[in-house]
Amino acid sequence: MHAQRVKAALVFVPLILILIYFGGWAFNGFITLILLLAALEYAQLFSRLGYRPFLPVLFVGITSFVLQRWVFGGQYLGVLITFILFLTIITALVQYERGEKEAALGLTINLAGIFYLGWLGAFFISLRALPHGLGWMLTALPVTWLVDCGAYYIGRWLGKRKMTPRLSPKKTWAGLVGGLIAGIISGLLLILLWRSIGLLPIGTPLWQGVILGLVMGTLTPLGDLLISLFKRSAGVKDTGNLIPGHGGVLDRIDTWIWGAMLGYYLVLIF
């Protein structure tokens, strides 16, 4: 399993880095595809519980959030949210009228999926579109990845005391600390690297990398735990099997979308 994870990473990580570098249509289109695949897995998870998320509504809502950031630069958010609310409510009313007894729960699940994957997922586009967005994207996402790696390896090596025995039995407090250390060190080193080659302004303080790593290490694991909650409820190990050794798309981006969102707001604060 570990060898499969490494092989898959050697294929997908360079592809993602190339798309981040070029940005534009290629990157935004790739992000849209990834979020829609994650929505499909999200719907399948809840279908296992006997609910019926309405995929067309999920797809339209998520794509609308992406386009709001991509085409309109984040404007018209109030109009978009109003549109999504009307769309999901009308869908639920029609479904109930057609005999779907769980239509009210379906409405809630649709809204949660749209806002979780659409609202949070579209921060990939917002972060890349910032001034020096390439440098910040190549800081925020690798820090998120290295937090995961630090937590995984330190947890396997030193982890004894379980952090969330029901949600994610393999997570330990030692792993959390390992992720924090990996985040802080990688954040500092990446700021140093990118400002030395001009991807970030030469005056970018190193402490910003430390803060970014600290926040990522503390908060991005919540994304993993949330998807674990969905999987445990549905009685499955992975959200899918698209990526060898990693499970589904939703398994892989569970922390990434938090990293993009946190990275965007931290850059604005900086």
Side-chain angles (χ1 to χ4, degrees):
M1 180 66 74
H2 185 264
Q4 281 187 318
R5 290 171 67 96
V6 172
K7 290 176 182 177
L10 290 175
V11 173
F12 287 107
V13 170
L15 171 62
I16 294 167
L17 293 176
I18 290 169
L19 290 168
I20 291 172
Y21 177 79
F22 284 107
W25 285 83
F27 175 70
N28 294 347
F30 176 74
I31 291 300
T32 305
L33 174 62
I34 289 298
L35 293 175
L36 294 180
L37 288 172
L40 177 61
E41 294 175 354
Y42 173 87
Q44 290 171 342
L45 282 177
F46 283 95
S47 294
R48 283 179 159 270
L49 292 169
Y51 307 122
R52 294 180 58 191
F54 195 51
L55 267 178
V57 168
L58 280 173
F59 284 176
V60 169
I62 290 168
T63 305
S64 297
F65 268 120
V66 170
L67 291 175
Q68 186 243 356
R69 309 277 179 85
W70 180 354
V71 178
F72 300 108
Q75 296 181 334
Y76 312 114
L77 178 60
V79 174
L80 175 58
I81 291 175
T82 303
F83 164 73
I84 289 172
L85 287 173
F86 273 114
L87 178 64
T88 52
I89 290 169
I90 291 170
T91 300
L93 296 175
V94 171
Q95 285 183 319
Y96 189 83
E97 196 62 32
R98 290 181 175 178
E100 179 61 58
K101 294 182 179 180
E102 304 290 348
L105 284 173
L107 181 151
T108 305
I109 293 167
N110 284 334
L111 280 177
I114 290 169
F115 279 91
Y116 187 72
L117 294 172
W119 168 254
L120 287 186
F123 277 103
F124 285 111
I125 293 169
S126 297
L127 179 58
R128 182 62 179 84
L130 287 173
H132 305 287
L134 174 58
W136 286 117
M137 178 69 84
L138 290 177
T139 303
L141 280 192
V143 166
T144 304
W145 302 338
L146 291 168
V147 165
D148 286 344
C149 291
Y152 177 77
Y153 287 108
I154 297 298
R156 288 187 63 181
W157 179 33
L158 297 175
K160 294 180 180 179
R161 190 176 176 187
K162 296 187 182 301
M163 187 172 73
T164 53
R166 293 190 64 192
L167 276 176
S168 189
K170 293 183 179 180
K171 279 191 168 36
T172 63
W173 289 105
L176 179 65
V177 173
L180 280 170
I181 294 171
I184 291 169
I185 293 173
S186 61
L188 188 150
L189 293 178
L190 285 168
I191 293 287
L192 189 63
L193 173 63
W194 299 141
R195 75 180 192 181
S196 71
I197 62 173
L199 289 185
L200 289 176
I202 191 66
T204 304
L206 294 180
W207 63 261
Q208 292 183 357
V210 173
I211 295 298
L212 192 145
L214 180 63
V215 172
M216 297 294 188
T218 304
L219 296 181
T220 58
L222 294 174
D224 183 37
L225 290 174
L226 176 62
I227 301 305
S228 292
L229 172 63
F230 293 161
K231 291 188 292 185
R232 294 291 177 267
S233 300
V236 297
K237 182 178 182 294
D238 297 315
T239 62
N241 55 12
L242 185 64
I243 307 173
H246 291 272
V249 172
L250 193 52
D251 287 309
R252 196 76 316 249
I253 68 167
D254 52 5
T255 57
W256 298 11
I257 58 178
W258 282 61
M261 177 268 291
L262 292 168
Y264 174 80
Y265 283 121
L266 284 171
V267 172
L268 292 186
I269 293 169
F270 294 155

